[in-house]
């Protein structure tokens, strides 16, 4: 499929919209009421620190809603205002935050059901309105909705679209796209749908396995078993790892993406030499600015003297998970929660340790003076962070 030609055709359709409806002022008050916080504003003005009795809260200097998320949520609200009576669907969660998605459900926005990772579009009819989420949709989903006669509202973050352009450049030049991402994440699924030949690597360890294979140090059968569900159809590691381009899911850990890029550059340099390197390796910067800012702010926060750290965001939010990884790497006692309700009035917290199931910890706030660091993922509204802080204030007001 010529994905670039399809996108050009789609973008010229009268049933496609990626710019909104000019109703920003009409929905501004609803967005402010649902997501903004005067308390968070005052903490920012006070050097990102709140002192309340024995509790000290230190906020990361960059956290919460990014521009791409704000844009997607605002477009969803505008869409309901513009189509007051039509059926409106979202192909997935608009963003990875339960409270935001619940607000949309309350506005009678419907969500495409998925079973085992497979979405069921049979319920979508000609003339329905379908919102594509901030992390995008696959080109096959767009084609299906376009052919079905739907009105498509595309809220895909421009940083995600930038990655799509990158893998299309790889495809045009017959390079295999090495995508640093989570193979089942919606953004990576969308990105791979725009690629030609591709291979998804989760982390530096998997990237090293690929590099070793390129240098003749791997077993083909073991390699294909490991990456069977993370590569394009008919992937041949002996042929398809000769010319590589690197891209990434925009919410991955910046430092790891950069290291993966350097690893493959060194690998191809070692195999083909400096004169031939440019024929075998391409690299473009596809790291999201907002993701980078929040990760850098987290690195600064974990340098502060903290008793514990609370990371707020959807459990399926990749960028939030990587913030949690930073806390863990520094040995700080930390808790990943998705909603304020995870904190109980009995000083318990139901949180999700990295890579594990939900766990309830009792007496998570120590007695005496306590310093709590707080950050949140790019899909978390300030209002949610405010409610978490209010819970902490309540628990320490003894």
């Amino acid at each position: 499929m010529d994905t670039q030609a399809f996108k050009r055709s789609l973008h010229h359709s009268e049933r496609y919209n990626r710019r909104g409806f000019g109703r920003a002022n009409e929905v501004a008050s609803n967005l402010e009421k649902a997501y903004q916080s005067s308390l968070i504003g005052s903490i920012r003005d006070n050097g990102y620190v709140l002192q309340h009795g024995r509790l000290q809260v230190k906020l990361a200097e960059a956290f919460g809603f990014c521009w791409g998320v704000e844009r997607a949520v605002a477009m969803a609200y505008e869409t309901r205002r513009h189509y007051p009576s039509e059926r409106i669907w979202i192909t997935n969660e608009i963003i990875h935050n339960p409270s935001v998605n619940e607000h949309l459900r309350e506005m009678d926005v419907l969500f495409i059901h998925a079973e085992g990772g497979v979405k069921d579009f049979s319920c979508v009819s000609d003339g329905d309105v379908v919102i594509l989420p901030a992390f995008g949709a696959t080109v096959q989903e767009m084609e299906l909705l376009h052919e079905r006669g739907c009105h498509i509202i595309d809220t895909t973050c421009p940083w995600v679209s930038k990655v799509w352009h990158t893998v299309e450049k790889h495809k045009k030049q017959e390079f295999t796209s090495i995508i640093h991402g989570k193979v089942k994440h919606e953004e990576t699924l969308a990105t791979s749908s725009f690629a030609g030949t591709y291979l998804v690597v989760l982390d530096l360890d998997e990237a090293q396995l690929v590099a070793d294979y390129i240098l003749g140090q791997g077993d083909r059968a073991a390699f294909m078993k490991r990456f069977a569900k993370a590569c394009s159809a008919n992937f041949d590691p002996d042929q398809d790892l000769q010319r590589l381009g690197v891209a990434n899911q925009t919410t991955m850990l910046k430092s790891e993406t950069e290291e993966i890029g350097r690893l493959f550059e060194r690998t191809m340099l070692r195999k083909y030499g400096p004169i031939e390197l440019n024929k075998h390796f391409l690299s473009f910067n596809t790291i999201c600015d907002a993701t980078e800012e929040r990760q850098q702010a987290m690195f600064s926060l974990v340098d502060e003297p903290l008793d514990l750290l609370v990371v707020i965001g959807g459990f399926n939010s990749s960028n939030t998970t990587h913030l949690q990884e930073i806390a863990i790497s520094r040995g700080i006692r930390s808790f990943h929660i998705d909603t304020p309700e995870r904190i109980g009035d009995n000083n318990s917290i139901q949180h999700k340790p990295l890579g594990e199931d939900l766990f309830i910890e009792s007496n998570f706030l120590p007695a005496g003076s306590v310093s709590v660091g707080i950050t949140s993922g790019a899909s978390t509204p300030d209002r949610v962070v405010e409610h978490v802080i209010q819970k902490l204030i309540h628990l320490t007001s003894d």
Side-chain angles (χ1 to χ4, degrees):
M1 180 182 182
D2 187 337
T3 53
Q4 288 185 319
F6 169 71
K7 283 197 300 182
R8 285 193 296 269
S9 173
L10 179 64
H11 292 178
H12 285 93
S13 169
E14 294 181 353
R15 292 182 282 105
Y16 175 83
N17 185 317
R18 59 173 173 168
R19 300 185 182 278
F21 300 96
R23 294 174 174 266
N25 291 336
E26 297 178 33
V27 301
S29 60
N30 300 85
L31 293 169
E32 181 177 0
K33 180 180 179 181
Y35 304 122
Q36 294 183 15
S37 163
S38 58
L39 174 62
I40 298 302
S42 66
I43 297 175
R44 283 192 175 102
D45 293 340
N46 193 47
Y48 295 86
V49 176
L50 169 71
Q51 188 70 49
H52 189 280
R54 67 183 182 93
L55 172 69
Q56 182 182 65
V57 170
K58 294 183 178 180
L59 292 178
E61 293 192 9
F63 65 92
F65 268 13
C66 63
W67 174 81
V69 164
E70 288 182 349
R71 171 181 173 273
V73 175
M75 284 182 67
Y77 273 63
E78 282 190 53
T79 299
R80 174 44 84 197
R81 184 65 64 94
H82 190 77
Y83 295 103
S85 56
E86 287 83 350
R87 288 205 309 174
I88 300 177
W89 299 89
I90 294 180
T91 60
N92 205 294
E93 298 178 330
I94 186 71
I95 57 175
H96 286 149
N97 183 272
S99 65
V100 175
N101 290 298
E102 187 57 35
H103 286 159
L104 293 176
R105 289 187 177 92
E106 291 170 359
M107 295 161 55
D108 292 327
V109 175
L110 306 168
F111 288 69
I112 301 294
H113 176 70
E115 188 72 36
V118 179
K119 297 173 190 171
D120 180 6
F121 288 95
S122 62
C123 51
V124 180
S125 304
D126 179 22
D128 283 358
V129 180
V130 182
I131 299 173
L132 309 184
F135 33 77
T138 69
V139 67
Q140 292 82 9
E141 290 172 353
M142 296 184 200
E143 185 180 32
L144 181 152
L145 295 170
H146 181 57
E147 291 177 350
R148 194 162 292 185
C150 297
H151 298 274
I152 298 173
I153 314 302
D154 189 353
T155 78
T156 304
C157 175
W159 276 100
V160 175
S161 299
K162 180 181 178 182
V163 183
W164 296 352
H165 293 313
T166 295
V167 297
E168 284 181 326
K169 288 178 182 177
H170 296 166
K171 179 171 59 178
K172 184 177 182 180
Q173 298 180 54
E174 297 184 344
F175 278 65
T176 293
S177 295
I178 301 292
I179 304 171
H180 177 210
K182 299 177 179 179
V183 69
K184 294 182 179 181
H185 191 281
E186 296 90 340
E187 182 186 329
T188 295
L189 291 171
T191 296
S192 62
S193 76
F194 284 93
T197 305
Y198 69 85
L199 181 70
V200 179
V201 296
L202 175 64
D203 51 26
L204 191 57
D205 289 340
E206 286 199 348
Q208 187 64 60
L209 290 175
V210 179
D212 290 343
Y213 192 91
I214 291 170
L215 297 175
Q217 301 168 17
D219 175 76
R220 180 185 173 94
F223 184 95
M224 291 307 299
K225 182 178 180 181
R226 176 67 176 263
F227 294 102
K229 296 182 179 180
C231 61
S232 50
N234 302 315
F235 186 87
D236 182 349
D238 297 316
Q239 297 295 322
D240 296 331
L241 294 177
Q242 296 180 22
R243 290 160 58 85
L244 306 181
V246 177
N248 67 289
Q249 182 182 313
T250 59
T251 53
M252 300 302 281
L253 193 62
K254 176 197 173 186
S255 58
E256 188 168 44
T257 293
E258 291 178 332
E259 183 55 38
I260 287 171
R262 289 191 290 267
L263 170 64
F264 284 115
E265 184 174 24
R266 292 193 304 269
T267 301
M268 304 311 267
L269 181 63
R270 180 176 170 184
K271 183 165 185 176
Y272 297 103
I275 295 176
E276 297 293 314
L277 178 63
N278 289 341
K279 296 180 181 179
H280 295 273
F281 180 75
L282 287 174
S283 181
F284 299 95
N285 179 12
T286 56
I287 297 170
C288 166
D289 279 351
T291 296
E292 180 179 352
E293 289 172 358
R294 280 148 184 76
Q295 290 174 3
Q296 289 301 322
M298 185 63 165
F299 278 115
S300 296
L301 181 61
V302 295
D303 283 338
E304 298 282 336
L306 300 172
D307 294 302
L308 59 99
L309 201 147
V310 178
V311 180
I312 311 163
F315 293 139
N316 57 346
S317 166
S318 176
N319 74 87
T320 306
T321 300
H322 291 305
L323 296 177
Q324 171 78 335
E325 288 177 353
I326 294 172
I328 293 171
S329 71
R330 297 298 181 89
I332 297 176
R333 186 167 170 253
S334 57
F335 303 91
H336 179 185
I337 62 175
D338 58 346
T339 66
E341 289 72 28
R342 299 292 182 184
I343 299 176
D345 290 338
N346 59 350
N347 195 19
S348 67
I349 186 168
Q350 185 181 43
H351 66 109
K352 193 175 188 304
L354 192 64
E356 300 179 22
D357 294 330
L358 282 170
F359 178 79
I360 297 177
E361 183 158 339
S362 302
N363 301 316
F364 87 101
L365 286 177
S369 297
V370 57
S371 180
V372 180
I374 293 181
T375 190
S376 62
S379 298
T380 304
D382 282 0
R383 182 61 59 87
V384 172
V385 180
E386 173 188 313
H387 291 164
V388 169
I389 294 173
Q390 289 173 340
K391 288 266 190 176
L392 298 177
I393 290 173
H394 172 72
L395 289 175
T396 54
S397 297
D398 46 21

